[in-house]
Structure formats: structure tokens, C-alpha cells
């Protein structure tokens, strides 16, 4: 009986150790397996791929050993699988055509560089409580950034400039944020971007109130009430992924096929763009 227990334990241990990370994006996986993207000792020199046993896969144990990762310029559209890199301290992912951007599971992350990820509309970093440096500039599509993580006073670098559509950055303390300067490349933003403790309330009141959506929260259907002629709308997840794009018909939006969660609806009316936050139950 003891031998059976021992054998079972060994088999279970082997299976656990050999767990493979699911990485659907072929370019992401290729970079991890074949390219020099890992800085093993976090000294600023990238010297290895992430496939330490050269089996063409990334085991959970291999992912957990990575503390610094540079996957910039790899034509990656999805970061699915990044959650397994749970000990990551530094992530560079500049110039990738991400469809969505979710690094919320990386709670140890201190440095994030994500320039020029132009398809992403919204980035939520409220779970990344250890961030000290965020370089998120030159993002043409970015409209909302949430850094309200309870730790903004330890954020010594925040770059969001050259992001012309970035309306609002959600912060811990609006007064503190507005007192930060760009004199020494510390907190740098465009003049048109505002800091707010609630970005939904921080949007221009005239435009924001020009369209009403109800009920909100909703289970399936939204009704749109507006004195503007609304032509079309797009719905984005909090990770910036476009999940719906349609012409508005009969002032109704059917959300039946969306999962429960928080979304942003971007309405287009002539030369006006109005964004609403909704909750699908």
C-alpha cells in the first residue's frame, strides 16, 4: 500500500511540474520559445528564451521563473497565458497590435512599458499595486487608463503623452496627481488628458449627458435616449477589446451575447464621440 501511495504521489508531482501554459497567440508563443526575451537576473541584459528545457512549450514552472520579459515588436495580438508569469517584475511589450490588454494578474509587476499598442482603447491597472514605472505613451486609440491601485504615491514615472484620445486617467488622489510634473520625465501627459478619481464623472458634462442609456445595470437590452442623431456605436471590454460594432437601430442595443461585466459604449454622432460605462448583469 505504501508503494502505491508513493507511486501516486510521484505521478501527481510529475504532472503538476509538467503543466503547460496555454498560449493561443502563435507570435507570443514563438517569442517565448525561440527569441531572447528573458532577462534572467534582471540586470538589463536579455540573455535567454523562456523555454528552459527546449521542449517547444512553456511549463508553468518556467513561466514562474521569469522576472523580466521583453516581447516588444513581436506582432502579438493576445497576451493570454501571461497570468502564469506570476513573478514578473518587469514587462516590456511595446509596438504590438493587441486586440485586448490584460495584465491584471501580475500583482508583482513594478515596471510596465507599453508604447504604441494602438488598437487598445482602455487599460485597467488597478490590480497592479506594485507599479513604480508606467510608460504608456504614444497610444493613439487609448481613451481610458485606470491606475487607481492605492499606491500612486510610489509611481515615480507615468508617461501617457502623445496619446491624443486619452480622455481621463483614473487615479487614487486627483489633487496629488495634478501636483505631479513632467520636469524630470516623472508624470507626463497631454494637456487634453485629465486626472480624476472617477473617470466616468470626469467626462465633459455636455457631451456625457447628451446620451442616456437605461436600464444600467442591465440584463440584456439597453434603451438609448438622446437629443443627438446617433449613427453607430462600438462596445469595448475594460481590457480594450472591441466586442461589438453596429449601427444603432430603434434606439435599442441587444447585449444578450455579452458576458456579465463592465463595458464602455462609444457612440458616434456626427462629429461628436460620447462614451458611456455600462454594466451587464
Amino acid at each position: 500500500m505504501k508503494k502505491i501511495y508513493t507511486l501516486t504521489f510521484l505521478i501527481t508531482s510529475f504532472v503538476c511540474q509538467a503543466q503547460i501554459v496555454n498560449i493561443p497567440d502563435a507570435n507570443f508563443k514563438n517569442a517565448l520559445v525561440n527569441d531572447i526575451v528573458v532577462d534572467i537576473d534582471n540586470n538589463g541584459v536579455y540573455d535567454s528564451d523562456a523555454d528552459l528545457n527546449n521542449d517547444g512549450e512553456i511549463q508553468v514552472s518556467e513561466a514562474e521563473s521569469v522576472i523580466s520579459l521583453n516581447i516588444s515588436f513581436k506582432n502579438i495580438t493576445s497576451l493570454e497565458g501571461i497570468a502564469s508569469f506570476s513573478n514578473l517584475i518587469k514587462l516590456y511589450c511595446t509596438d504590438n497590435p493587441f486586440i485586448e490588454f490584460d495584465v491584471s494578474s501580475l500583482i508583482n509587476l513594478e515596471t510596465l512599458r507599453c508604447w504604441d499598442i494602438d488598437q487598445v482603447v482602455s487599460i485597467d491597472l488597478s490590480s497592479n499595486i506594485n507599479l513604480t514605472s508606467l510608460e504608456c505613451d504614444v497610444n493613439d486609440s487609448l481613451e481610458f487608463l485606470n491606475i487607481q491601485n492605492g499606491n500612486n504615491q510610489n509611481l515615480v514615472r507615468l508617461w501617457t503623452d502623445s496619446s491624443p484620445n486619452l480622455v481621463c486617467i483614473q487615479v487614487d488622489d486627483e489633487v496629488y496627481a495634478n501636483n505631479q510634473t513632467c520636469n524630470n520625465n516623472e508624470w507626463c501627459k497631454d494637456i487634453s488628458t485629465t486626472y480624476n478619481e472617477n473617470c466616468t464623472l470626469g467626462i465633459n458634462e455636455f457631451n456625457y449627458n447628451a446620451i442616456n442609456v437605461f436600464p444600467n445595470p442591465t440584463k440584456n437590452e439597453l434603451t438609448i435616449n438622446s437629443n443627438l442623431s446617433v449613427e453607430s456605436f462600438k462596445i469595448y471590454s475594460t481590457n480594450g477589446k472591441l466586442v461589438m460594432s453596429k449601427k444603432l437601430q430603434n434606439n435599442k442595443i441587444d447585449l444578450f451575447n455579452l458576458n456579465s461585466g463592465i463595458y464602455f459604449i462609444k457612440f458616434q454622432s456626427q462629429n461628436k464621440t460620447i462614451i458611456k460605462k455600462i454594466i451587464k448583469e
Side-chain angles (χ1 to χ4, degrees):
M1 183 65 70
K2 183 177 180 181
K3 290 182 179 179
I4 294 175
Y5 285 146
T6 302
L7 180 60
T8 302
F9 174 77
L10 290 173
I11 292 173
T12 303
S13 299
F14 176 79
V15 170
C16 290
Q17 290 174 4
Q19 281 185 326
I20 294 174
V21 180
N22 180 35
I23 305 171
D25 188 291
N27 291 329
F28 185 20
K29 184 174 182 179
N30 180 68
L32 293 170
V33 170
N34 296 312
D35 295 346
I36 304 301
V37 294
V38 176
D39 178 1
I40 295 176
D41 49 11
N42 197 26
N43 66 352
V45 178
Y46 289 85
D47 40 25
S48 176
D49 56 46
D51 182 17
L52 300 180
N53 64 2
N54 297 314
D55 68 345
E57 301 288 350
I58 302 298
Q59 274 73 40
V60 171
S61 58
E62 290 174 325
E64 290 175 344
S65 71
V66 178
I67 57 175
S68 181
L69 183 67
N70 188 344
I71 50 171
S72 299
F73 306 100
K74 301 297 183 182
N75 202 32
I76 299 168
T77 59
S78 172
L79 279 176
E80 185 174 345
I82 196 69
S84 295
F85 292 75
S86 55
N87 294 311
L88 205 58
I89 294 174
K90 183 183 294 182
L91 174 62
Y92 292 167
C93 52
T94 294
D95 202 351
N96 282 297
F98 295 120
I99 296 173
E100 57 183 328
F101 189 79
D102 184 2
V103 294
S104 58
S105 61
L106 304 179
I107 60 173
N108 293 308
L109 196 64
E110 297 176 6
T111 299
L112 175 61
R113 179 179 292 171
C114 52
W115 312 333
D116 200 13
I117 51 174
D118 278 347
Q119 296 190 64
V120 175
V121 173
S122 174
I123 297 177
D124 186 353
L125 301 174
S126 57
S127 298
N128 304 97
I129 58 175
N130 290 301
L131 271 182
T132 59
S133 177
L134 173 60
E135 299 176 18
C136 196
D137 45 332
V138 198
N139 283 313
D140 289 346
S141 296
L142 187 63
E143 296 176 3
F144 293 100
L145 174 63
N146 185 355
I147 59 168
Q148 194 175 65
N149 63 2
N151 199 31
N152 285 178
Q153 292 193 10
N154 290 327
L155 188 61
V156 296
R157 174 177 291 174
L158 173 62
W159 293 356
T160 62
D161 48 311
S162 300
S163 301
N165 292 306
L166 181 56
V167 177
C168 185
I169 301 173
Q170 190 155 313
V171 295
D172 292 342
D173 185 329
E174 184 179 340
V175 174
Y176 175 82
N178 282 316
N179 283 333
Q180 304 310 301
T181 67
C182 190
N183 294 337
N184 296 307
N185 287 328
E186 295 142 342
W187 285 38
C188 303
K189 68 176 183 64
D190 295 320
I191 295 176
S192 58
T193 303
T194 61
Y195 296 122
N196 202 291
E197 292 167 37
N198 187 329
C199 276
T200 301
L201 298 179
I203 299 172
N204 178 274
E205 287 298 319
F206 173 78
N207 283 344
Y208 188 75
N209 292 324
I211 293 180
N212 291 313
V213 296
F214 60 91
N216 188 16
T218 183
K219 294 185 181 297
N220 288 314
E221 188 177 74
L222 280 175
T223 298
I224 311 304
N225 184 12
S226 175
N227 55 10
L228 300 176
S229 177
V230 179
E231 301 157 2
S232 61
F233 67 91
K234 294 181 179 180
I235 301 181
Y236 297 88
S237 69
T238 55
N239 299 325
K241 181 180 181 180
L242 178 65
V243 296
M244 187 183 298
S245 178
K246 291 184 177 181
K247 298 286 186 181
L248 184 65
Q249 295 181 344
N250 301 320
N251 292 323
K252 301 286 186 181
I253 298 178
D254 185 0
L255 304 178
F256 178 78
N257 291 323
L258 294 186
N259 295 326
S260 298
I262 297 173
Y263 297 90
F264 292 99
I265 304 183
K266 182 178 180 180
F267 294 99
Q268 192 65 42
S269 175
Q270 298 173 344
N271 62 343
K272 293 184 176 65
T273 297
I274 300 166
I275 297 171
K276 289 284 187 175
K277 178 181 176 181
I278 62 165
I279 299 174
K280 165 72 185 298
E281 294 181 328

